[in-house]
Amino acid sequence: MRLHAAVLALAATVAPVAAVFEDDAYHIDFHHALVGIPKRASTFFQKPYAGSKASLLYSLSANHTLGAINPKDGALVWRQVPPSGLPSATKSSLRAGEDQDTVVSAVGDRITAWSAADGRLVWEHRVPGAIVEDLEILEQEDGITNAEAKDAIILLSGATSVVQRLDGKTGRVKWTYTDSSGDTPSQVSSSPTTIFYVSLHTPLLGGWTKLKITALSPITGRSIEHVTLNSEVDSSDDIIFAGANTAAPLLAWTDKSKKTLKVNIIGTKGVSSFDVPSTEPVTKVVLHAPNRVNSLSHVLVEYQTETGHSAVVYHVDLMKSTISKAYDLPYLSGKGTFTTSTADANVYFTRVTENEITLVSSASHGVLGRWPVQSSPQLAGSYPVHGVAEVAAKDNTASAVRCAVIFSNGEFALVRNGELVWTRPEYLSGAVSAVWTELPETEALAAELQVESHQNVVAAYIHRVRRHVRDLEYFPAWLQSLPQRLLGNLGSKKDDATIEDIQHDTFGYHKLAVLATDTGRLVALDVGAKGKVMWNVDLSKLAPGVHFSRPALRSFPGYVEIKDKNMPGTLYVNATTGNSLTLTDMTLEPHVPVDGKNLIVFDLVDGDLQGFLGVKAGPGPMGLGEPVWTFTPPDHERIVTYTARPTDDPVASIGVVLGDRRVLYKYLNPNLVLVTTALDAARRISIYLLDSASGQLLYAVSHDGVDTSRPLPSTITENWFSYSFTRIASPNAQSRGYELVVGDLFESAIPDDRGPLGPSSNSSSILPVKGDSAKPHVLTQSYHITEEISHMTVTRTKQGITSRELLVTLPSSHSIYGIPRMVIDPRRPVGRDPTANEQAEGLSRYMPAILFDPKWSLNHKYEVFGIQDVITTPSGLESTSLVLAYGFDVFGTRVSPSFAFDSLGKGFNKVQMLLTVAGLFVGVLFVAPLVSRKQINSLWAVAS
Amino acid sequence: MAVDASPPPQWVTDLNSTPTSKPKSSFPDPPGYTAPLSAKQRSQSSKNAAVRQAPTTEEMDTLKMKKAWELAIAPAKQLPMNAIGMYMTGNSLQIFSIFMVFTLFKTPVMAVLALQRTFAPFETPGTSGRMIGVKLVYVLMNLMMLGLGVWKVNKMGLLPTTRSDWLAWEGERTWSERAVPREWL
């Protein structure tokens, strides 16, 4: 109808300007800007510049991300994400000199200095082919502190081991010491006068590996002397500490069985040996020492066992070069950790356990402060792993201590005087798969309605009345909550959400997304409540002994199914609580609603895509039926990926209404699969569109001159597909850069025609009724885009009425864009202006390039890093689709591609509306007697 | 009393016995003056009129038919003007064009409904047979008006005449196979 066309035209004019509204930003979306699990010894409090009043918390994480966190509220001040493609075994470290305005990080082959206040790059030093083994900041040179810019000492391993001194201002190499002895480099350390290079020396003729210490001149880098310690070391892993920048740098190591601890003051030959004070086998030994030159040479050795932990404090006598035990911190059962902090020359040790923080001075064992740690749901069931502390102490009385502690559940928390100030869900970094869940309660209502729709009218009516009577028991509670809800509607809503809020959510904004991380955690987030973590479980506790590599999640009403290739069976988890479910207390839902159709399963088998008829029943892993088709790409092309149409993909209209009110019928086949193949040698990619029921090829296209090493994202939905690729930059190529291709499938090229199948309502790809099964008419258009797309998906709504957006992840600008479907409609007229009919449809003239409109950005001011995947789900409102992006960061929002036509915006003033109604009512009360009097007068009064 | 035997003066005689007829005078009447008709003349003239005004029923019927035809054709006379008006208002959905189209539909329907009442004055035993044709033409003319309305509505795109209007009643095909990737199982 023309009305329809008018609405479409209206939608066309408004859709391209759809953007995140200013008053919606930061309210409808959330962003967990993560750093990752902080590494021990690379996390510290540091003043961003000399003389700064407050300090920031700097952290280098297990995935080599560098971040500065505000210790007051846990907000991220800045962060630097390492370049992609780092090997997983890369070493990294982070150091900062005292009173410096830079922090220096070493990741892989890069040594980089960052401005401590804002994270800008100051200098970078790259040593291609080498790996930075250790990094230290030279605090003092010949006992004098260089206040301007402290130099960095780096130890590189590669073909030969190299120690370099880098200028603190520019990163220029001041000198290089090359160790060509073939020893394994271990660490560097420094005392106020000397630089020490520690390596593991293995004699050629066999024998024990020994520690070799080379003293280097800080000024010239020449070696002064070699010391080989008369004690054997098994491997580099046994070396637990090589302190730096202290008056007495220490080197400590244990034997293999962790029975004795050996300590050497670097620069001397003597080795002190201490017995481990535990009867239980020690699992971990950690040495804590202050890293200030002017602080006391007191160290704490932490012993962790399976059940508890203890520590011993040693004092180093510099004059005599001896190490003596000062006191014990007694064994406590349960996990805990220790931190070191300094105040002037004093050294304090903080013991952090699950329920208490105690502070002792390094000089004596008297407890200076003791604070019980308040319990909180975030930290429930977890124990501190390691941390850093800052102490405010005066004359042996500690007034306050704040500890930034990483807990075993991956929560990075700041505890100040026992009070939990903030937590950061760092366990979320590295999410590998995610799925939306449905809560069981809402499904129950759906089931009831299903029952009613299948009964006759009378029975359905009785059923409904019964249900309503049953529902009456909730009525008083509902009535009680009504004023609160009304007030909540008028005022601003609280962000705090519980499972109950999700159940009572009218708009369906509160949906749980369950994420699995590469560390084997399963986390449920409420996307409607700013990504609040509803539960967080360790998968390895649910399935002991399994190392989860990449868990595959599937969601069913009420539960989530977890599969992993390292796990033989299947794990079921309650979606509401995160508890493990057994098959006895749950009913399994069918995976794919088949409804009496022939089920065909396809999979990659030896590089070919194969379809199998049905699934073999029986125990054990699911077997496949008879192979029915095989798709072998030509010329030995490699199948990169394949994308199938999602199971739940509602289509509101089966045709596209043209401007002249004719219809182009969409080719809607639920079994479409888009296969992307690559031929690396020929630099060619091919796209094949298959009917995965019959294996029939419906459409194929090839692109030459494509960089096959770059991501090839693709998506398929409704009757259209889209993919993107990168052209190789060669001088004689016609086209360069990144391209986005969009294709529409129609039943016929002619309007008002349903193709060879005609109006028949049934169709089969395997046994076509009329000869050859119908092939779609494919229209494609390609566009140049300004940035590479790493992942693409489409928005999804409940009925599929709302126009769609293609959500693309742009890794180079750390953003996610929603391209309106209208912009990438393949029916845009090429080389001419649109006719009036086409304009009525909202088609604009084809432009070969799409410039990403900043209004399409979903993440506005947020920077989302390392997005692996974006998932979408319908909300309760037809206009709105929920979006969750995960990977390194987690970002969630909701999008309304055709605007929120079914809900009131934030700008709607409910109070004003109510006041207007009330005002009108009062006005009517006043005016009514006047009017009635006038009416009576007009009937009775004599006209004069 | 002594009777005066002398005859009364002339004026008394004139006064007592008004002349039956106008005294012949040579004076013509003044211009613009019409002499009143005498009773005889009056009766004469009325007799003449009655003779002229004796129409037959046939004549009467012809006259009524003429009048009825005029009425029947009347809607057609409005047609060109309405058509121009409709053409001028354009095909967009606006309050004015909607009102105009509404009246375009309402007038003919109301007219047809009031058909008997409209033609009742012309209904005589003599004309009743011929009135059918007149009424038919009248209905036809009104239908033409209605046709104009329909044409206009069609122009406005409100008539479900194309495939797109019936698209909602067309269903998606049911496929007898369902193929899924293995990892969805």
Side-chain angles (χ1 to χ4, degrees), chain A residues 804-869:
Chain A
R804 294 181 188 248
E805 267 181 16
L806 182 72
L807 301 181
V808 294
T809 308
L810 308 174
S812 58
S813 58
H814 313 298
S815 54
I816 298 166
Y817 273 64
I819 306 175
R821 162 83 183 134
M822 207 59 77
V823 176
I824 48 170
D825 195 322
R827 294 180 49 247
R828 284 173 67 173
V830 180
R832 60 177 173 85
D833 284 326
T835 60
N837 277 338
E838 282 168 338
Q839 269 177 345
E841 275 187 77
L843 294 174
S844 56
R845 187 184 174 142
Y846 171 78
M847 296 287 184
I850 293 182
L851 300 173
F852 289 119
D853 191 335
K855 290 192 202 100
W856 300 344
S857 172
L858 300 187
N859 55 319
H860 51 95
K861 282 190 177 167
Y862 295 133
E863 274 194 311
V864 286
F865 282 95
I867 294 304
Q868 298 286 318
D869 195 6

Side-chain angles (χ1 to χ4, degrees), chain A residues 1 554 563 591 597-603 622 642 645 647 653 661 663 665 668-671 692 747 752 754 758 760-766, chain B residues 91 93 153-185:
Chain A
M1 283 193 247
R554 288 264 289 150
K563 281 182 183 174
H591 283 83
K597 294 174 183 170
N598 294 325
L599 181 68
I600 286 147
V601 181
F602 60 93
D603 198 9
M622 202 175 285
Y642 59 89
R645 234 187 107 184
T647 24
S653 170
R661 298 165 63 201
V663 181
Y665 283 93
L668 296 169
N669 184 342
N671 304 326
S692 58
E747 289 195 320
D752 288 354
R754 290 206 73 171
S760 71
S761 62
N762 291 316
S763 179
S764 167
S765 330
I766 296 182
Chain B
N91 293 330
L93 283 174
V153 166
N154 186 31
K155 275 278 166 197
M156 288 165 99
L158 297 176
L159 282 192
T161 52
T162 55
R163 265 307 253 283
S164 61
D165 302 317
W166 305 100
L167 192 61
W169 282 268
E170 283 185 85
E172 211 177 313
R173 291 188 215 282
T174 9
W175 294 74
S176 47
E177 297 90 19
R178 184 73 184 97
V180 289
R182 192 181 184 175
E183 59 263 25
W184 288 8
L185 288 179

Side-chain angles (χ1 to χ4, degrees), chain A residues 460-513:
Chain A
Y461 185 74
I462 292 168
H463 184 270
R464 173 160 295 193
V465 169
R466 274 210 196 125
R467 180 162 65 80
H468 286 180
V469 168
R470 248 183 296 134
D471 284 350
L472 272 183
E473 69 174 285
Y474 305 109
F475 183 70
W478 179 82
L479 213 59
Q480 271 182 351
S481 68
L482 198 61
Q484 195 191 344
R485 282 175 62 191
L486 281 178
L487 284 177
N489 260 327
L490 290 178
S492 60
K493 262 202 167 162
K494 56 189 184 346
D495 285 331
D496 197 38
T498 58
I499 284 284
E500 285 202 353
D501 284 341
I502 301 175
Q503 285 163 358
H504 293 147
D505 176 29
T506 340
F507 292 157
Y509 289 158
H510 291 274
K511 263 204 177 170
L512 277 190

